Amino acid sequence: VFAAALEAIPPDVEAALNRTLGPWYVGSYHALTVGPQERPLNSTEMVRLRAKNLHTDYPFGGHAADVHGGERYAMNQWYPRTVQVLLMLDDFTERSGATQIWPGSHRRLTTPDKADPEDLALFAANARSLQGRAGDALVYFGQAWHAYGVNTGASPRRALLMQCLPFYVRPMEGHARTLPW
């Protein structure tokens, strides 16, 4: 499935990846399903659930918190960029839990701390719900503050995610170790 998704990347997106990253490869890939909530939520619960998954993918998101000593750490502006390609398998709407991104937050040079009320308020005030139709692609810098939305609809919302890295950056997963011998 992921190989077919890679082959389907439009030429203009591939050209943008080449300009941004130089020679690149897919360092990780995932399937993500955001299931519907089991009950109606009030506005406070909605804000809390949106913030619960606030993170960056720089270069390995929350997986690097132990290395850096916590959720918030400085991003070196000269470090390589990562680019995420999200392929929508279902429609992304506010109701289905569309991805929330704070446009321009990749320039902040710090990762968010979802336990910090100031970071949560900044994200809530600036994040945009990125909506699209099944088959659309969302391409964004991994350093951008983002979270998946809250699905208040009746059906799961699914996507394929690919983290694109410059060729010299170590991947999050050891793909070769997962291959059958």
Side-chain angles (χ1 to χ4, degrees):
V1 171
F2 287 103
L6 276 172
E7 292 298 324
I9 292 177
D12 57 334
V13 172
E14 190 165 356
L17 288 168
N18 289 332
R19 281 191 310 275
T20 303
L21 301 174
W24 62 275
Y25 71 104
V26 175
S28 69
Y29 44 87
H30 303 277
L32 175 65
T33 300
V34 178
Q37 294 299 305
E38 296 176 0
R39 61 177 178 78
L41 304 171
N42 64 41
S43 60
T44 302
E45 290 172 311
M46 290 289 287
V47 169
R48 182 184 57 79
L49 284 176
R50 279 191 181 111
K52 177 181 168 185
N53 299 300
L54 174 60
H55 66 284
T56 65
D57 299 318
Y58 172 82
F60 306 122
H63 302 287
D66 290 340
V67 173
H68 295 286
E71 287 288 321
R72 177 183 292 121
Y73 52 88
M75 292 187 275
N76 184 323
Q77 68 176 338
W78 307 114
Y79 278 12
R81 299 279 183 218
T82 66
V83 175
Q84 311 305 109
V85 177
L86 182 150
L87 302 173
M88 299 175 191
L89 301 180
D90 297 304
D91 290 348
F92 272 47
T93 65
E94 186 72 36
R95 186 174 166 139
S96 72
T99 297
Q100 312 287 308
I101 292 185
W102 176 5
S105 59
H106 65 285
R107 294 187 204 102
R108 289 187 58 83
L109 299 179
T110 60
T111 58
D113 182 349
K114 58 189 167 203
D116 183 335
E118 185 176 318
D119 283 0
L120 298 179
L122 281 168
F123 185 71
N126 294 291
R128 302 293 174 258
S129 178
L130 299 177
Q131 301 181 44
R133 312 265 315 147
D136 288 348
L138 170 61
V139 180
Y140 59 96
F141 284 122
Q143 290 86 337
W145 292 24
H146 61 281
Y148 53 83
V150 179
N151 185 344
T152 59
S155 303
R157 196 265 298 147
R158 299 165 299 187
L160 297 177
L161 303 166
M162 294 181 279
Q163 183 182 46
C164 302
L165 301 168
F167 76 94
Y168 52 86
V169 174
R170 183 177 179 178
M172 188 172 359
E173 287 101 8
H175 299 297
R177 293 183 188 163
T178 65
L179 297 174
W181 294 100

